[in-house]
Amino acid sequence: MKKNSFTEIIKAEMLLFIREPSAFFFTLMFPLLMMLLFSSIWGNDPFPGEFFGYVDFSVSAFMGMVIATGFLMSLTVTMATYREKGILKRFRATPV
């Protein structure tokens, strides 16, 4: 059975991501630590007239920040490196 090349690329990219400690830390651990820091400073007491606290409102903002920084920082550098090494030609994805 022929393996899907896209699946193989995803597996390779995940391994490269896990092997890079700074990318792992700043993508997964740093936002979590920042959220824990801010929640310990301001707490999660409900706002007056509301049912939700600071952490409840800020989780979505932190998730958006992680997705945006991960995309903007990682993808551009990865694509430039792939183009430089000729990997995109092997994948027939040069227009990327």
Side-chain angles (χ1 to χ4, degrees):
M1 186 163 139
K2 183 179 175 184
K3 290 188 176 184
N4 189 357
S5 61
F6 183 71
T7 307
E8 293 300 317
I9 293 171
I10 295 296
K11 286 179 186 177
E13 289 296 325
M14 289 301 293
L15 285 174
L16 289 172
F17 174 74
I18 291 170
R19 289 179 186 166
E20 183 64 38
S22 63
F24 179 75
F25 176 76
F26 282 107
T27 303
L28 298 176
M29 299 303 294
F30 185 70
L32 180 63
L33 292 174
M34 292 299 290
M35 188 177 72
L36 291 174
L37 174 73
F38 289 142
S39 65
S40 68
I41 292 172
W42 290 304
N44 197 28
D45 297 330
F47 297 120
E50 298 287 334
F51 296 108
F52 303 107
Y54 171 77
V55 175
D56 300 326
F57 281 115
S58 64
V59 167
S60 60
F62 280 114
M63 287 174 57
M65 182 178 68
V66 167
I67 292 169
T69 56
F71 174 74
L72 293 174
M73 302 281 289
S74 300
L75 184 67
T76 54
V77 173
T78 303
M79 285 296 135
T81 304
Y82 283 177
R83 183 176 294 263
E84 188 176 84
K85 292 181 179 180
I87 294 172
L88 293 177
K89 287 183 182 178
R90 282 187 268 156
F91 290 147
R92 295 187 185 112
T94 305
V96 173

